[in-house]
Amino acid sequence: MSSLWLDHVAGHRGAVTGRSWDERGRYDTVVVGAGVTGLITGLLLARAGQHVAVVEARTIGAVTTGNTTGKVSVLQGTRLAEIGRRHASHILRSYVEGNLEGQQWLLRYCHDREIPVGTAPDFTFAQTESGVDAVRAQYTAARSAGLPVRLVPELEIPVPHVDAVTIDDQAFLDPMPVLHAVARDLITHGGDVFEHHRVTSVRTLVRFHVLSTPDGDIEARRVVLATGTPILDRGGFFARLKAERSYAAAFRVPGGAPGGMYLTADQPTRSLRPAEAGRVLVVGGNGHDVGRSTSPQAAVDDLLAWTGRHFPGATPTHRWSAQDYSSLNALPYVGPLVPGSDGILIATGYGKWGLSNGVAAGLVLAGRILGGHMRWGEAFQSYSPTQLFDLPAAVKANGEVAVEMVAGWGDALVGRQRGQGRARIVREGLLPVGEYTSDGHTERVCAVCPHLGGVLRWNDAEASWDCPLHGSRFTAGGTLLEGPATTDLRRL
């Protein structure tokens, strides 16, 4: 599975070249993760004169940013209503202001570099009467935050709908040209971008930090973790986030795609946007907690079938999935990894709206490092007094993790096989073993997540072993893909 955007750059990585890993030195700041947050944070710091390196385990945009649907909108489904229910009105306004600033920074950057951007109205709509209250709540929250939204009873799309809220002049784009342009700019300003180097740990010394990789160490006065979920457990963010997997596909559609962007307020989730000058329709949805679906492939099949029913003649060209992290309080976590120490900073919890939130987080992080302040920054904090009210959500989320831990080990210890088709988990002594057979060759790995010991589950859509605890994912052969884990599975 490869996204439309990553397929565009396959084989030609945008000529992002700079110093080699062997030429690395000691840096003012090392940013871990080359998605939108990491690269923009690095660029802002490099522009200010810092010596910066961005270190990426895979390739630029390979994880979340390169698998997004590419929407850059401040409407964001029903997210504003959720924030409005949980927080004071000034927090909601700050969140919206931060997203507006992130959106406008990104659009200005694209304009200045002649990177194509589409503009269209964005709609949050109800598929049935059960979703109308959610649409109205989103309308009320958006109006209270100062957004010029309006209610519309009819939409020009061939899918069931009964009510909608909309805002004009939102944006959509292919994120990969943006990431490559930012990376080149960072290098031009004296920074470094190192791909294929996975940071596995960080040691804090008196005056600097030492980041370890399998290829050697790299040193910096400050570290930014822009890795989806922090790869360091200190701070406990793995217990304050929910890892969610969702699916998308691109279709050639007779007559072209609808001109607007659409997202459902009710379930099942459906997201629509045009691409490639309207010749392609991108459809997303069917999200679930990572590692907790009995068949992710069924979710993909359902999305394809739904599109075929409502857009007759639609021909799929690409299928992909993305992993996003949602916070317990519906706001991004941006700031220190541990309270009172700015030596290691993090950014996470965008809840599927990373293109605007990711840029806003970069602005907050760069401002914090350089001694500045964003007036809307109160909505982008890794620690705040309001998070005391997240305790019930934390208890619920971590209770679910405990259930998954017990169920996984319970099945393993009694010898109950998990899996389907060519993959299964069997017991050898007390060890759960993952087996995957393809073309007569069987891969065998320890099916225990090296992060916190959860028993993995097979993902039949992506041929991966996924952890139901905190979202770490591994290839069939055990190579780490993403999540809070920092090492591969043990091969047997």
Side-chain angles (χ1 to χ4, degrees):
M1 300 172 74
S2 178
S3 77
L4 181 64
W5 331 121
L6 290 174
D7 191 45
H8 286 166
V9 299
H12 50 91
R13 303 299 305 176
V16 177
T17 58
R19 279 185 286 266
S20 72
W21 178 253
D22 291 338
E23 297 174 290
R24 68 193 185 280
R26 181 178 291 181
Y27 296 87
D28 295 313
T29 301
V30 166
V31 181
V32 185
V36 64
T37 299
L39 286 169
I40 288 177
T41 301
L43 175 58
L44 293 172
L45 295 174
R47 282 177 174 176
Q50 283 212 350
H51 188 28
V52 178
V54 175
V55 182
E56 167 57 44
R58 294 166 67 182
T59 57
I60 290 171
V63 188
T64 300
T65 305
N67 290 292
T68 176
T69 57
K71 294 181 178 180
V72 192
S73 173
V74 295
L75 186 57
Q76 302 184 0
T78 59
R79 187 172 177 86
L80 304 186
E82 183 180 4
I83 294 172
R85 284 193 300 271
R86 297 185 178 202
H87 299 277
S89 58
H90 66 91
I91 298 292
L92 173 61
R93 288 193 297 270
S94 291
Y95 176 82
V96 169
E97 186 177 355
N99 273 263
L100 284 168
E101 188 156 343
Q103 179 195 59
Q104 292 308 307
W105 189 100
L106 188 59
L107 297 184
R108 286 193 303 270
Y109 186 88
C110 291
H111 178 268
D112 292 345
R113 285 149 187 81
E114 299 183 343
I115 297 171
V117 174
T119 58
D122 188 18
F123 299 84
T124 296
F125 72 98
Q127 301 169 93
T128 65
E129 291 292 339
S130 65
V132 171
D133 287 347
V135 167
R136 298 303 173 96
Q138 179 71 359
Y139 169 79
T140 300
R143 293 286 292 183
S144 71
L147 293 175
V149 295
R150 64 186 189 278
L151 292 169
V152 290
E154 294 293 332
L155 302 176
E156 297 180 358
I157 51 174
V159 302
H161 59 274
V162 295
D163 200 12
V165 56
T166 186
I167 185 170
D168 292 328
D169 300 323
Q170 300 306 291
F172 55 89
L173 48 73
D174 177 342
M176 294 309 296
V178 181
L179 295 186
H180 285 141
V182 173
R184 289 192 293 269
D185 279 356
L186 193 161
I187 292 169
T188 299
H189 283 84
D192 292 320
V193 178
F194 300 122
E195 298 177 285
H196 304 292
H197 297 283
R198 181 178 297 281
V199 174
T200 57
S201 65
V202 179
R203 305 193 311 276
T204 300
L205 304 181
V206 176
R207 296 183 180 273
F208 58 94
H209 304 275
V210 179
L211 297 85
S212 296
T213 82
D215 312 300
D217 295 343
I218 186 169
E219 299 176 356
R221 291 170 54 202
R222 196 182 307 263
V223 176
V224 173
L225 301 180
T227 50
T229 183
I231 58 169
L232 302 180
D233 285 348
R234 63 192 93 155
F237 283 91
F238 62 86
R240 300 170 59 191
L241 295 163
K242 288 194 72 173
E244 301 163 314
R245 202 98 194 135
S246 56
Y247 303 91
F251 300 83
R252 295 282 177 183
V253 179
M261 298 185 290
Y262 302 86
L263 182 62
T264 58
D266 44 359
Q267 298 297 319
T269 301
R270 295 290 182 258
S271 169
L272 309 174
R273 62 149 282 194
E276 297 188 358
R279 298 186 300 274
V280 169
L281 172 67
V282 175
V283 180
N286 281 356
H288 60 82
D289 294 342
V290 176
R292 301 183 192 178
S293 171
T294 55
S295 175
Q297 183 60 49
V300 176
D301 294 342
D302 177 68
L303 200 65
L304 298 177
W306 181 90
T307 305
R309 287 195 301 273
H310 296 291
F311 296 89
T315 303
T317 62
H318 297 77
R319 307 173 193 180
W320 68 96
S321 62
Q323 188 147 312
D324 298 275
Y325 297 88
S326 294
S327 68
L328 296 179
N329 68 351
L331 295 172
Y333 297 140
V334 184
L337 177 67
V338 295
S341 173
D342 275 14
I344 303 176
L345 303 174
I346 60 99
T348 184
Y350 304 150
K352 303 183 181 180
W353 295 101
L355 289 179
S356 55
N357 272 309
V359 178
L363 294 170
V364 169
L365 291 168
R368 190 174 190 117
I369 292 169
L370 299 171
H373 173 72
M374 310 306 296
R375 66 181 183 182
W376 38 265
E378 63 180 350
F380 295 77
Q381 298 186 70
S382 54
Y383 296 94
S384 72
T386 63
Q387 291 170 14
L388 294 173
F389 299 104
D390 300 342
L391 185 58
V395 170
K396 180 177 183 295
N398 287 283
E400 293 169 354
V401 167
V403 168
E404 293 293 338
M405 174 72 88
V406 171
W409 278 101
D411 286 350
L413 293 176
V414 301
R416 184 179 299 121
Q417 290 189 5
R418 282 186 170 193
Q420 50 200 323
R422 296 176 294 176
R424 62 177 185 165
I425 292 179
V426 298
R427 192 184 81 178
E428 292 191 359
L430 297 178
L431 181 69
V433 174
E435 296 182 345
Y436 173 70
T437 301
S438 178
D439 298 325
H441 174 71
T442 298
E443 300 265 16
R444 302 178 77 250
V445 297
C446 172
V448 179
C449 181
H451 177 230
L452 289 181
V455 177
L456 305 176
R457 288 187 178 175
W458 181 247
N459 177 334
D460 60 346
E462 301 171 84
S464 63
W465 297 109
D466 298 356
C467 181
L469 271 58
H470 303 109
S472 294
R473 299 181 58 247
F474 308 83
T475 67
T479 301
L480 176 62
L481 292 170
E482 60 188 308
T486 57
T487 59
D488 296 341
L489 299 178
R490 180 160 56 93
R491 291 169 174 82
L492 302 174

